[in-house]
Every structure is written in C-alpha cells, then in structure tokens.
Amino acid sequence: MRPEVLLQVIQQVHGNNSLKFYNSLDSGIPNYNHYFLALALLKGHCVFTTNVDTLIEKACENIGIACQPIFYEKHYREFLKKQPTDFSSHLFKLHGSIEPNKAGLSKYKSIRFTLNRVGLGLGESTAKVLSTCLQERDFIFLGYSGNDHFSVHPELLKTDSDQKVYWFKFLPETTLKYTSSSSDFQSQRNNLLKEASKKLVGCKMGRYFIERSSHKTRATLFSCRR
C-alpha cells in the first residue's frame, strides 16, 4: 500500500488530528541534497518535489536565496496565466507543503487537500504545469521510483516530449549511476519507469555538480527522497 493511501485512510478514521504526524518533519536540518537543490534554483533550474517538508526552503534561506514554493492548486493556476511561462528558479511541491508560519493544524492545509485527492490524480493546473515543463525542459530525476500511481506517474505516461531525461538510480554499493535517454523522453519513458521502480534503492549521494548553463540548457530536477 502506498504511504499516501495509508495516510488517507488514517485521516478518514481519526480526522484531522492524524495530521499531527507531520510534526516530525517540522524541525529537520537540511543536508547536502537540499543545498544542491537550492543551488540549482539559484542557477535558474527549477525543482519539482513530492516531499512536503521545508528543508529545501531552509537550505535556500541559509545561503541567502529567495524561495517562494508553489503548492496550492490556485497558485499553479495563477502561474499558468503568466505568459510566456517561465519555470526558472521555481520550486513546485506537488503533494502540498508544511506552512511553518501558520499555527496548529492549519499549517497542513495543502497536505490535507492532497490526501483528499488520492486516487483522483493531480489537480488540473498542477498537472498542466508538470506536463508543460516536461515538454519544454530536460528532466533530471533524483530518488524517484515511479510508483506514485495516483499523481506524477500518470502524467509521465501521457505526456509526449522530445526533451532529454536523466534518471539517477541509487545502488547498494553507494555508486551513483544514471540512465540517460538516447533520444527523447516519449520513446524511453516506459523502460525508464520500469527500471526505476524495479531497482531504486535508497542511499546517500556524496557530491553533485551543476555546471553554469545557458537558458536553452537549463533543466528541471525532480527530487522525491530526503
């Protein structure tokens, strides 16, 4: 059973008090993964994540980078109204986010909305932002198994794109390897999703590199594990 499905069931049985589970994510300290993503934002890349903690935002704050994450459906809708669409330096949180400046259970409002949508897929505007970015930018997947069949996975299956995709896999011997599409995402996605789901194993990454990039080569980083 997917964690999101389990949490949805718990919420239905125990009500909003079950959201207190997310208190454990309030006090985390950013690690090098989060600082890597913060630096990616600084260099003009954009980041999508299904994590609801605020560790990327904390990393941005610690090194003086402005970061205003997008996680409510209405904010995705507003983002799409801006033309031309500019993904540069944006953080998109597809499953909602803890809002540390709010009090009590209200800080988990967007997460509650996501749990209520389990089985329904991403919101219309949220899905549109993801699919549009897939069509316009190269994607780098970090720590994503492709197993969240209720949200991101369906969008990957139905979005046609001729952009490049790089899918990093974390192996038990702590060697970082990646699978790169030889042509385009559309022709490679089924194999990539299959391999990611089958072989993804969690481990830490010791070092990342982001080269200075022009507008044409800016990429999207999709991060799903802390």
Side-chain angles (χ1 to χ4, degrees):
M1 180 181 292
R2 294 290 303 164
E4 295 84 1
V5 177
L6 178 60
L7 288 169
Q8 182 193 49
V9 173
I10 292 173
Q11 186 196 17
Q12 290 172 346
V13 174
H14 297 284
N16 288 334
N17 282 332
S18 61
L19 295 172
K20 292 179 180 178
F21 159 81
Y22 291 98
N23 285 339
S24 61
L25 302 179
D26 279 352
S27 57
I29 299 174
N31 60 31
Y32 44 76
N33 299 316
H34 306 110
Y35 284 107
F36 164 71
L37 294 172
L39 290 173
L41 290 168
L42 176 64
K43 290 181 178 290
H45 304 282
C46 62
V47 175
F48 285 82
T49 182
T50 54
N51 292 340
V52 300
D53 60 61
T54 59
L55 294 175
I56 299 174
E57 294 93 312
K58 288 179 181 177
C60 288
E61 182 180 1
N62 289 345
I63 58 179
I65 300 172
C67 179
Q68 294 293 328
I70 296 176
F71 47 86
Y72 279 112
E73 174 70 5
K74 64 179 180 180
H75 295 152
Y76 282 99
R77 189 161 51 248
E78 292 169 1
F79 177 82
L80 289 170
K81 290 180 180 178
K82 299 176 182 178
Q83 295 296 327
T85 304
D86 183 9
F87 290 95
S88 300
S89 301
H90 279 85
L91 172 60
F92 302 98
K93 307 184 77 170
L94 298 173
H95 289 178
S97 178
I98 295 171
E99 298 178 77
N101 295 328
K102 292 186 177 181
L105 295 178
S106 62
K107 67 173 63 177
Y108 310 122
K109 180 180 177 180
S110 64
I111 301 172
R112 183 171 66 246
F113 175 79
T114 300
L115 291 176
N116 289 336
R117 286 194 59 84
V118 170
L120 299 177
L122 296 173
E124 181 179 354
S125 297
T126 304
K128 180 64 175 177
V129 168
L130 176 59
S131 62
T132 300
C133 195
L134 279 165
Q135 292 170 331
E136 294 184 2
R137 289 193 170 208
D138 295 343
F139 255 70
I140 301 171
F141 289 90
L142 302 170
Y144 175 56
S145 69
N147 281 330
D148 58 335
H149 301 296
F150 78 94
S151 62
V152 178
H153 186 270
E155 297 306 317
L156 296 181
L157 288 178
K158 69 184 181 183
T159 300
D160 294 334
S161 174
D162 60 1
Q163 301 298 312
K164 297 290 185 181
V165 60
Y166 301 89
W167 204 303
F168 284 79
K169 297 187 293 185
F170 306 87
L171 303 178
E173 62 270 22
T174 71
T175 299
L176 178 64
K177 297 184 179 181
Y178 71 90
T179 300
S180 170
S181 64
S182 58
S183 53
D184 57 73
F185 176 65
Q186 181 179 345
S187 63
Q188 298 288 318
R189 60 185 167 195
N190 288 334
N191 287 336
L192 287 170
L193 286 167
K194 181 180 179 180
E195 286 299 308
S197 174
K198 181 172 61 176
K199 295 185 177 180
L200 192 68
V201 178
C203 78
K204 293 184 177 180
M205 296 173 63
R207 184 173 296 175
Y208 297 97
F209 295 95
I210 288 187
E211 299 294 338
R212 182 177 301 170
S213 57
S214 67
H215 176 73
K216 290 185 178 180
T217 59
R218 282 177 180 166
T220 297
L221 294 99
F222 194 105
S223 173
C224 296
R225 291 190 176 186
R226 297 169 61 191

